[in-house]
């Protein structure tokens, strides 16, 4: 999660938002069957603030590009004191202790390098960073750094630079390379944090399991590609970095093939604010955020194909990412949670929309021994979560053995409450889930649908009947308990109640298949729109190895009025109460309001007809508004009991039922 997200979701702020959401969700219990009640959220305010963490001993991010007029704030997030000192001496924060902050606003375009006087020096030595303001080129040692424009594609084959034969380090090889060149790395353990500013390089190891970048739990990123288009990284491993194993930011065209990332402090294999990319034949484990991440792109034009993620907090996470983004033909296992696209206000391009998840095996994502952070831990025990997303498609996956939900579609709470809409869950096999195989949380803005899935349980019950694809009903019938469960877990996590496993104690990646003929295979540049993202073919369900092992008969749910009979007696009671009582309330309120209007003689015919139309046309609120503000002759105490008392009783039973069911 980003620096800005931590600020937005400070415990006090989240508590206020959560209390407000509880009230809204309580109403959604009653309003859910009648359509959406939450308006489309307003996009978060722009880029007037950017945060940088001062850690031990590096800045994260090391290079940041901001618009003119942006304020940059450094948070002392490590255990040691630091300074924020300009290379040219124009500003100096003095020594800042852990927990303190320093901020300044940049009002002119330019490149502003800085460093910590205690752990670095001017000129990019040691603990240092760069703030790039406006559309100006990045600085590099060659003086012709990548800029905000698109880079020209090389027309001639490049040369090969061998490490360590021609260059002693990977960084030296990258610095010596020109667009189109191949940096070919021999086996060895390289204790480097490599920065790439030159476009259209191919950086390739000769042996995936023997070419190892090791950050020794001190360095920030293994390989960080910064605004350099078309860079491919192939056939190597990265481990023990404070932040990420392999990282692309702000690029147009990228590819990661035959990579292994393990025991890194944030993400394994990561692309941010980048388009036209591909991750393939790769492995990620031991990340306290997610193994694979593609975020803040719309459309992304990206593919994740034939990867394996295990032992992470989240197998995949993508905030505000979608639009021609496919996650296919992969395995996601033994993470805290499997695949979690999500919407947050702390990133640009909200809401998340337009991801395809298909042809994959998502199983056993209940790993309480995986490293995790507070804001990732509430996702525990879920195979696929679409959190506040829209127009996503989940099709043809095998999702099994999850403690919470197999596939869940639910709103996400940040500065706004992001309701879901237009998500299609079709043709999946989902089984052996703890709470329900399929789940739809409330509120939903409509169009979330389920069809052709082989499953046994769902929340709400009969989910494919209530929310079938192709239904003429405009509303989506969500289950508030699904959303309450997430809020409850967030409250627990922010209170410190979540697994605190150390990412530094996670095992290294096991041996993985290497790239065939790595020393002789011709270079394929990551040219956007042609080479990347490239084609993919979704494997059918029958081709997923685990599907052949499915045993037993998938018995459909047996329900009465949408309530499953295959549940506990208490669950059955709560189910009937939760689904039937709102209809009883509505019928009662409408009947009382119409009866009262018919017998009143103090109203004109026109006003009587108007009130009747309002009561009958406006679901639920019509009779409530009349009984509260229509000057009914019914005694006030009776009206308060009929409306307020019924609502309070219903919410009380719903909350108690939820606590007993989830506790």
């Amino acid at each position: 999660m980003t620096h800005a997200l931590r600020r937005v979701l400070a415990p006090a702020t989240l508590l206020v938002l959560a209390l407000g959401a509880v009230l809204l969700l309580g109403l959604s219990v009653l309003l859910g069957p009648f359509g959406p009640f939450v308006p489309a959220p307003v996009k978060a305010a722009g880029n007037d603030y950017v945060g940088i963490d001062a850690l031990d001993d590096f800045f994260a991010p090391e290079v940041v590009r901001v618009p003119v007029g942006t304020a940059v704030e450094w948070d002392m997030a490590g255990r040691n004191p630091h300074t924020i000192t300009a290379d040219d001496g124009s500003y100096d924060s003095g020594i800042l202790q852990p927990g303190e902050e320093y901020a300044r606003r940049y009002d002119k375009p330019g490149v502003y390098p800085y460093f910590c006087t205690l752990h670095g020096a001017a000129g990019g030595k040691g603990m240092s960073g760069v703030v790039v303001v406006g559309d100006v080129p990045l600085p590099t040692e060659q003086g012709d750094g990548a800029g905000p424009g698109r880079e020209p594609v090389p027309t001639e084959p490049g040369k090969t630079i061998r490490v360590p034969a021609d260059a002693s380090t990977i960084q030296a090889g990258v610095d010596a390379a020109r667009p189109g060149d191949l940096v070919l790395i021999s086996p060895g353990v390289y204790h480097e944090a490599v920065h790439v500013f030159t476009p259209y390089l191919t950086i390739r190891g000769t042996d995936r399991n023997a070419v190892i970048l090791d950050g020794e739990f001190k360095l920030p990123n293994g390989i960080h590609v910064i605004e350099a288009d078309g860079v491919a990284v192939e056939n190597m491993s990265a481990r023990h970095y404070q932040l990420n194993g392999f990282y692309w930011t702000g690029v147009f065209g990228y590819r990661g093939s035959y990579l292994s990332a393990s025991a890194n402090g944030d993400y394994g294999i990561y692309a941010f604010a980048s388009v036209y990319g591909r991750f393939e034949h790769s492995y990620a484990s031991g990340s306290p955020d997610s193994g694979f991440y593609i975020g803040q792109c719309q459309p992304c034009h990206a593919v994740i194909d034939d990867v394996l993620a295990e032992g992470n907090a989240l197998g995949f996470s993508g905030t505000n990412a979608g639009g021609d983004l496919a996650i296919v033909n992969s395995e996601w296992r033994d993470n805290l949670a499997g695949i979690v696209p999500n919407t947050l206000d702390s990133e640009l391009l909200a809401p998340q929309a337009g991801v395809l998840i298909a042809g994959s095996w998502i199983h056993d994502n209940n790993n309480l021994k995986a490293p995790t952070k507070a804001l990732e831990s509430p996702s525990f025990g879920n195979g696929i979560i679409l959190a506040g997303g829209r127009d996503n498609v989940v099709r043809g996956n095998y999702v099994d053995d999850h403690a919470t939900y197999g596939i869940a579609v639910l709103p996400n709470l940040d500065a706004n409450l992001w309701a879901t809409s237009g998500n299609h869950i079709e043709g999946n096999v989902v089984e052996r889930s703890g709470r329900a195989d399929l789940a739809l949380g409330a509120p939903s803005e409509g169009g979330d649908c389920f069809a052709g899935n082989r499953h046994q349980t769902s929340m709400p019950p009969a989910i494919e009947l209530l929310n079938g694809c192709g239904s003429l009903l405009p509303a989506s019938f969500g289950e508030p308990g699904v959303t309450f469960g997430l809020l409850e877990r967030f409250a627990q996590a922010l209170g410190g109640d979540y697994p605190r496993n150390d990412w530094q104690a996670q095992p290294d990646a096991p041996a993985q298949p290497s790239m065939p003929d790595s020393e002789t295979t011709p270079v394929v540049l990551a040219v956007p729109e042609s080479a990347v993202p490239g084609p993919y073919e979704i494997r059918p369900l029958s081709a997923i190895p685990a599907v052949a092992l499915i045993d037993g008969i998938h018995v459909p749910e047996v329900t009465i009025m949408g309530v499953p009979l295959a549940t506990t007696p208490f669950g059955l009671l709560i189910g009937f109460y939760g689904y039937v009582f709102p209809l009883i309330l509505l019928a009662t309120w409408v009947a009382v309001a119409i009866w009262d209007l018919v017998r009143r003689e103090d109203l004109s015919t026109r006003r009587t007809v108007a009130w009747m139309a309002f009561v009958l046309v406006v679901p639920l609120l019509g009779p409530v508004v009349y009984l509260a503000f229509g000057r009914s002759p019914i005694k006030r105490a009776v009206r308060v009991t009929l409306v307020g008392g019924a609502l309070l009783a219903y919410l009380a039973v719903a909350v108690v039922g939820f606590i007993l069911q989830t506790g």
Side-chain angles (χ1 to χ4, degrees):
M1 295 288 181
T2 64
H3 171 95
L5 176 58
R6 290 197 299 271
R7 291 178 61 84
V8 170
L9 290 183
T13 301
L14 186 66
L15 179 59
V16 173
L17 291 173
L19 289 174
V22 167
L23 294 175
L24 290 174
L25 290 170
L27 289 175
S28 76
V29 173
L30 301 175
L31 291 180
F34 303 102
F37 73 95
V38 178
V42 177
K43 185 176 179 179
N47 295 330
D48 57 349
Y49 164 86
V50 169
I52 297 175
D53 284 339
L55 298 166
D56 303 324
D57 291 316
F58 57 87
F59 295 103
E62 304 157 287
V63 179
V64 61
R65 182 182 294 275
V66 302
V68 174
T70 299
V72 176
E73 179 181 283
W74 288 265
D75 285 358
M76 302 302 107
R79 293 173 293 180
N80 299 323
H82 301 292
T83 75
I84 311 300
T85 305
D87 276 21
D88 62 5
S90 59
Y91 57 86
D92 184 1
S93 67
I95 296 177
L96 300 169
Q97 299 299 323
E100 294 185 330
E101 300 174 347
Y102 175 74
R104 64 175 287 106
R105 185 176 298 276
Y106 291 86
D107 293 321
K108 295 181 179 180
V111 176
Y112 299 87
Y114 65 92
F115 65 100
C116 169
T117 59
L118 304 178
H119 305 99
K125 299 176 182 178
M127 186 174 178
S128 59
V130 178
V131 177
V132 183
V133 182
D135 290 341
V136 297
L138 291 174
T140 70
E141 293 181 4
Q142 298 172 350
D144 58 350
R150 301 280 65 91
E151 311 296 342
V153 179
T155 57
E156 300 293 333
K159 66 179 184 294
T160 298
I161 300 173
R162 294 181 177 270
V163 177
D166 301 324
S168 60
T169 65
I170 301 173
Q171 186 67 68
V174 167
D175 291 342
R178 307 302 303 167
D181 288 352
L182 168 65
V183 179
L184 190 62
I185 308 166
S186 296
V189 179
Y190 298 84
H191 301 293
E192 301 185 51
V194 180
H195 296 91
V196 182
F197 296 98
T198 303
Y200 292 106
L201 297 186
T202 300
I203 305 169
R204 180 188 297 172
T206 57
D207 186 323
R208 176 180 182 176
N209 303 299
V211 176
I212 301 171
L213 288 85
D214 192 322
E216 300 181 287
F217 305 112
K218 299 176 182 178
L219 300 175
N221 302 288
I223 294 181
H224 188 183
V225 182
I226 306 171
E227 294 189 9
D229 296 342
V231 173
V233 183
E234 304 171 338
N235 209 41
M236 66 185 73
S237 300
R239 68 190 186 195
H240 307 163
Y241 285 89
Q242 285 275 348
L243 297 177
N244 313 294
F246 302 98
Y247 185 20
W248 289 257
T249 57
V251 307
F252 190 72
Y254 63 93
R255 179 165 51 80
S257 304
Y258 295 96
L259 301 178
S260 295
S262 59
N264 297 296
D266 208 2
Y267 302 95
I269 302 174
Y270 179 18
F272 181 77
S274 300
V275 296
Y276 289 104
R278 187 180 189 96
F279 294 150
E280 60 183 359
H281 317 309
S282 294
Y283 173 92
S285 68
S287 296
D289 203 303
S290 64
F292 293 88
Y293 185 100
I294 293 177
Q296 193 176 291
C297 49
Q298 185 59 253
C300 296
H301 301 301
V303 171
I304 297 178
D305 189 3
D306 185 30
V307 305
L308 170 60
E310 63 181 354
N312 307 283
L314 310 176
F316 170 85
S317 176
T319 298
N320 301 352
D324 191 26
L325 171 57
I327 304 171
V328 298
N329 310 326
S330 299
E331 185 175 358
W332 312 84
R333 70 185 185 201
D334 296 317
N335 304 285
L336 192 81
I339 300 176
V340 189
N342 57 85
T343 297
L344 291 172
D345 296 288
S346 54
E347 305 288 356
L348 300 178
L349 307 180
Q352 182 279 322
V355 169
L356 169 66
I357 303 171
S360 293
W361 185 19
I362 305 104
H363 64 103
D364 298 285
N365 292 288
N366 314 300
N367 188 354
L368 289 172
K369 295 182 179 180
T372 187
K373 301 175 183 177
L375 297 179
E376 284 67 35
S377 63
S379 301
F380 164 75
N382 291 279
I384 300 172
I385 303 177
L386 305 180
R390 301 178 180 181
D391 303 320
N392 300 293
V393 176
V394 180
R395 177 186 297 137
N397 303 281
Y398 180 35
V399 186
D400 64 297
D401 294 290
H402 291 97
T404 309
Y405 303 115
I407 302 175
V409 180
L410 71 167
N412 208 29
L413 177 65
D414 197 351
N416 291 288
L417 178 62
W418 293 93
T420 58
S421 67
N423 298 289
H424 286 235
I425 315 300
E426 303 174 322
N428 303 279
V429 174
V430 191
E431 62 180 357
R432 295 189 298 275
S433 304
R435 294 186 183 175
D437 293 332
L438 303 176
L440 174 62
S444 165
E445 291 189 354
D448 295 313
C449 73
F450 299 75
N453 301 285
R454 295 171 60 188
H455 69 287
Q456 291 181 294
T457 58
S458 66
M459 294 178 66
I463 197 168
E464 294 194 350
L465 178 62
L466 293 173
N467 302 285
C469 296
S471 172
L472 298 178
L473 296 175
S476 294
F477 292 73
E479 168 60 68
V482 176
T483 309
F484 271 119
L486 182 68
L487 289 174
E488 178 189 22
R489 288 182 175 181
F490 266 112
Q492 291 174 345
L494 291 174
D497 184 10
Y498 67 95
R500 296 176 176 272
N501 302 307
D502 186 1
W503 63 269
Q504 297 186 14
Q506 302 305 307
D508 296 338
Q512 300 293 323
S514 269
M515 180 180 183
D517 305 317
S518 59
E519 297 197 48
T520 58
T521 296
V523 166
V524 178
L525 300 178
V527 179
E529 300 185 71
S530 58
V532 288
Y536 60 89
E537 183 175 345
I538 301 172
R539 63 183 175 183
L541 255 172
S542 59
I544 299 176
V547 171
L549 303 177
I550 296 176
D551 55 1
I553 300 173
H554 290 260
V555 180
E557 296 172 295
V558 179
T559 66
I560 295 179
M561 295 186 69
V563 179
L565 296 180
T567 183
T568 63
F570 186 79
L572 184 60
L573 175 63
I574 294 299
F576 272 116
Y577 190 85
Y579 283 92
V580 176
F581 191 63
L583 300 178
I584 296 174
L585 277 181
L586 176 61
T588 302
W589 290 340
V590 169
V592 170
I594 295 298
W595 169 79
D596 190 55
L597 283 165
V598 168
R599 72 188 185 94
R600 289 183 64 173
E601 297 180 355
D602 59 317
L603 296 179
S604 67
T605 301
R606 179 178 297 179
R607 293 188 64 187
T608 300
V609 171
W611 269 118
M612 284 184 174
F614 184 71
V615 167
L616 293 171
V617 171
V618 181
L620 193 73
L621 289 179
V624 170
V625 169
Y626 170 73
L627 292 170
F629 304 106
R631 297 183 179 180
S632 168
I634 299 174
K635 291 183 178 180
R636 181 179 180 183
V638 175
R639 287 185 282 125
V640 169
T641 302
L642 180 62
V643 177
L647 284 173
L648 289 175
Y650 180 63
L651 291 177
V653 172
V655 170
V656 170
F658 168 74
I659 293 173
L660 293 176
Q661 183 179 347
T662 59

